[in-house]
Amino acid sequence: MSCAHTLRARNVAPALKSAIAQGLLGTRHGKATLFDCGPPAAQFFDLGAFRKKIQSLRDAFPDGKNKCTKPLSANGVLHTLAVKANPFSTILGEAHQMGLGAESASIVEVWQALRQGIPAQNIIYDSPAKAAAEIRHALSIGLLLNLDNMSELRKTREALESLRNENIIKSQPRIGLRINPQMGPGTIAATSTATKTSKFGFATREGDVDPIELYLQNRWLNAIHVHTGSQGCPLELSAQGVAEALRMAIEVNKRAGTQQIQHFDMGGGGPADYDSD
């Protein structure tokens, strides 16, 4: 065990002792608690460290206006927590209280975010396999929708026409394409999503379709999303992916003769340090 892991382990014992002393892990006042309901398992979370990380993100990306894109939220930048990484209600609620939105990779994660009070306009729906009914629901409640493939593009076009004919949506929804900048893999192949053969998103260099042409053919597309990867991807690689997406957004707006792309979504997590974090 590394020195960092040993130091982290020292913090576990006091937390566990405190939970036992408070009766959280057994029977208290005749009422069953966690361990009486099944196998002994408990989640301990350092809210102080969590809050510091959120604040560091907000400090790094203060209110900002970009000449190419309009911000996702009124204050310039919206940070979102990946629901799949922290689906616990308490953590999502804490993130919401600190002003974060939610990034949802499934419709169930959308529901979980909504249950914690996160408003629909602060939820990004990124599933790579959205059903037609899910797309229709996302558009009707005002989620930011990122499309992963041609099938989703077709379903969204049909849903938009139907919802407008039914007078369910009147304003322009926020809809974008997920692009694959094809920057190459990080140190962990399984979490790298910007390789030439990645199954996610529209390839910017070597693909079957040109995403720029898709924007010009579908003027209702007004957002762009890039996710280079997480954990094994260094920040330099992620920055290259963001730069490629920004280059494409500028090119689309130039060729469209207007600010068609108004929302810029930088996805992906930072590299994980498994030894010293």
Side-chain angles (χ1 to χ4, degrees):
M1 180 180 290
S2 71
C3 180
H5 288 146
T6 301
L7 291 174
R8 285 204 301 270
R10 292 176 182 173
N11 296 326
V12 174
L16 180 58
K17 289 179 180 178
S18 177
I20 293 173
Q22 295 178 59
L24 300 176
L25 305 181
T27 302
R28 187 183 188 191
H29 304 307
K31 295 183 179 181
T33 54
L34 182 62
F35 280 5
D36 295 317
C37 302
Q43 173 80 12
F44 291 87
F45 203 90
D46 189 337
L47 284 177
F50 182 63
R51 291 169 182 145
K52 287 181 180 178
K53 287 188 176 183
I54 291 177
Q55 190 57 53
S56 69
L57 271 176
R58 302 183 75 179
D59 291 342
F61 290 88
D63 291 0
K65 307 292 183 181
N66 188 292
K67 293 181 180 179
C68 168
T69 59
K70 188 166 63 177
L72 282 173
S73 61
N75 67 340
V77 175
L78 173 68
H79 289 293
T80 61
L81 180 70
V83 178
K84 62 177 174 291
N86 262 310
F88 301 99
S89 300
T90 301
I91 304 305
L92 287 176
E94 182 71 22
H96 172 44
Q97 290 301 314
M98 293 196 69
L100 268 66
E103 183 275 326
S104 300
S106 71
I107 196 65
V108 175
E109 292 180 10
V110 170
W111 297 337
Q112 172 71 332
L114 290 169
R115 278 197 294 265
Q116 305 318 311
I118 299 175
Q121 63 266 28
N122 286 350
I123 298 176
I124 301 173
Y125 186 27
D126 282 334
S127 166
K130 306 176 190 70
E134 295 171 354
I135 290 174
R136 179 183 171 90
H137 179 64
L139 292 173
S140 66
I141 66 174
L143 306 182
L144 190 153
L145 189 63
N146 287 320
L147 309 181
D148 186 82
N149 48 64
M150 290 299 295
S151 175
E152 291 189 351
L153 184 64
R154 175 184 55 78
K155 293 174 186 175
T156 302
R157 187 186 297 115
E158 294 171 352
L160 270 176
E161 182 179 356
S162 174
L163 290 168
R164 283 171 174 159
N165 288 339
E166 297 170 35
N167 209 30
I168 293 177
I169 58 173
K170 299 178 182 179
S171 60
Q172 173 61 47
R174 297 168 299 160
I175 309 170
L177 299 182
R178 173 177 178 169
I179 67 157
N180 172 10
Q182 297 183 306
M183 309 307 301
T187 58
I188 304 175
T191 59
S192 299
T193 57
T195 64
K196 289 184 178 181
T197 58
S198 175
K199 61 185 176 181
F200 299 117
F202 294 87
T204 61
R205 303 182 183 187
E206 300 178 23
D208 297 330
V209 294
D210 180 357
I212 291 180
E213 291 299 326
L214 292 179
Y215 277 103
L216 298 176
Q217 293 165 11
N218 300 277
R219 293 302 182 94
W220 42 268
L221 290 170
N222 57 13
I224 191 167
H225 169 50
V226 61
H227 182 141
T228 303
S230 301
Q231 298 181 351
C233 293
L235 292 178
E236 293 79 7
L237 187 65
S238 295
Q240 291 175 30
V242 169
E244 176 69 6
L246 184 58
R247 179 200 65 78
M248 178 173 289
I250 293 173
E251 180 65 18
V252 168
N253 287 350
K254 178 181 178 181
R255 292 176 58 180
T258 185
Q259 189 174 314
Q260 179 175 338
I261 296 182
Q262 302 177 19
H263 310 283
F264 192 90
D265 180 4
M266 298 184 292
D273 185 345
Y274 292 104
D275 291 325
S276 60
D277 269 353

